[in-house]
Structure formats: structure tokens, C-alpha cells
């Protein structure tokens, strides 16, 4: 039988997965400017989101950080676009984080959902991508 600690840990992990899935569905999408990666600098993300991304070596991280880029930025853009973290999905969908090329979704993100995303980010352990 699992200890109470293990049960609580599993419960929190499942809640984080459910919260993450729910929040991802509520972020509007839009077409980025081809070739642009102005919002693809190093960002932090939750351990849960990081676990969905391919492993990168310390050397790969160091090269990306030295160029102020995300380690998952490739020659043709984001190599993990479908699994990109919440913070990446938020760029361009809110006036607080506008697209530098003035792209945006038809409807900007709901302010309550944006607040929930920021709460999720503040309340989860963040790691540098």
C-alpha cells in the first residue's frame, strides 16, 4: 500500500496534468510570422511540461542560453511546437505579452484564463528551458 505522502504526491501530479490540459485548451491560437522567433528566448516551465519535451544536454542548453534562445528552437522554428509550454502559448494572445509582429488571435485570451495560467506558473516548480 502506498504511503499517505505517495498518495498526496500522485494526487497533485494528476491535478497538475488536468490543470495543464484544461489551460492549454483555453489559449487561443494564431498564425505566427514564418521564420520569426522573437518570443523564443529562454523561458521557464513547469516540471510537468518539461517532462513532455525531448531531453537536451547541458551543452545544448548552454549554447542556446549564450544566444538568448530556447534550446528547442531549430533552424525552421520551434521543434516542440505542439508540446510548447504554457508561457510560449501565451505570447501574442494577451496585451501584456504582445507579438512583436502585431499578430494575434481573432479573440484575445480571457483575462480569467490568463490569471489562471499565471497562477499555475507561480504555484508549480519552474525549470529553465
Amino acid at each position: 500500500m502506498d504511503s499517505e505522502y505517495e498518495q498526496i504526491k500522485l494526487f497533485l501530479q494528476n491535478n497538475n496534468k488536468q490543470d495543464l490540459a484544461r489551460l492549454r485548451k483555453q489559449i487561443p491560437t494564431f498564425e505566427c510570422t514564418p521564420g520569426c522567433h522573437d518570443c523564443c528566448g529562454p523561458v521557464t516551465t513547469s516540471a510537468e511540461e518539461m517532462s513532455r519535451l525531448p531531453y537536451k544536454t547541458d551543452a545544448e542548453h548552454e549554447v542556446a542560453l549564450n544566444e538568448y534562445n530556447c534550446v528547442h528552437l531549430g533552424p525552421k522554428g520551434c521543434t516542440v511546437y505542439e508540446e510548447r509550454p504554457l508561457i510560449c502559448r501565451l505570447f501574442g494572445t494577451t496585451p501584456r505579452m504582445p507579438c512583436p509582429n502585431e499578430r494575434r488571435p481573432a479573440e484575445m485570451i480571457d483575462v480569467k484564463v490568463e490569471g489562471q495560467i499565471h497562477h499555475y506558473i507561480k504555484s508549480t516548480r519552474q525549470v529553465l528551458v
Side-chain angles (χ1 to χ4, degrees), residues 16 44-49 120-127:
N16 278 346
T44 61
T45 188
S46 69
E48 175 64 38
E49 291 177 285
Y120 177 89
I121 290 169
K122 284 192 312 190
S123 65
T124 57
R125 179 176 178 265
Q126 297 288 297
V127 294

Side-chain angles (χ1 to χ4, degrees), residues 24 29 52-53 78-85 89:
R24 287 170 64 136
T29 60
R52 303 169 134 210
L53 302 177
C78 182
T79 62
V80 293
Y81 192 79
E82 293 303 317
E83 290 297 330
R84 69 195 186 283
R89 294 168 184 271

Side-chain angles (χ1 to χ4, degrees), residues 6-108:
E6 290 297 322
Q7 290 174 352
I8 291 170
K9 183 177 170 184
L10 183 61
F11 174 77
L12 292 173
Q13 286 173 340
N14 287 337
N15 276 352
N16 278 346
K17 286 180 184 178
Q18 291 170 354
D19 286 346
L20 185 58
R22 179 182 55 78
L23 292 170
R24 287 170 64 136
K25 287 179 186 177
Q26 295 182 77
I27 300 172
T29 60
F30 64 98
E31 290 289 323
C32 294
T33 302
C36 175
H37 60 272
D38 289 349
C39 64
C40 298
V43 296
T44 61
T45 188
S46 69
E48 175 64 38
E49 291 177 285
M50 192 67 159
S51 71
R52 303 169 134 210
L53 302 177
Y55 173 78
K56 296 293 185 175
T57 65
D58 289 342
E60 289 171 304
H61 279 277
E62 189 172 326
V63 168
L65 286 172
N66 287 338
E67 297 174 4
Y68 299 106
N69 285 330
C70 174
V71 72
H72 296 288
L73 179 63
K76 295 183 180 181
C78 182
T79 62
V80 293
Y81 192 79
E82 293 303 317
E83 290 297 330
R84 69 195 186 283
L86 286 174
I87 193 68
C88 301
R89 294 168 184 271
L90 201 54
F91 281 112
T93 68
T94 171
R96 291 178 198 88
M97 298 170 68
C99 169
N101 293 306
E102 299 180 9
R103 297 284 182 111
R104 58 176 283 172
E107 288 188 39
M108 297 296 259

Side-chain angles (χ1 to χ4, degrees), residues 105-118:
E107 288 188 39
M108 297 296 259
I109 192 167
D110 180 272
V111 294
K112 286 183 182 178
V113 174
E114 182 183 359
Q116 291 169 1
I117 291 169
H118 288 295

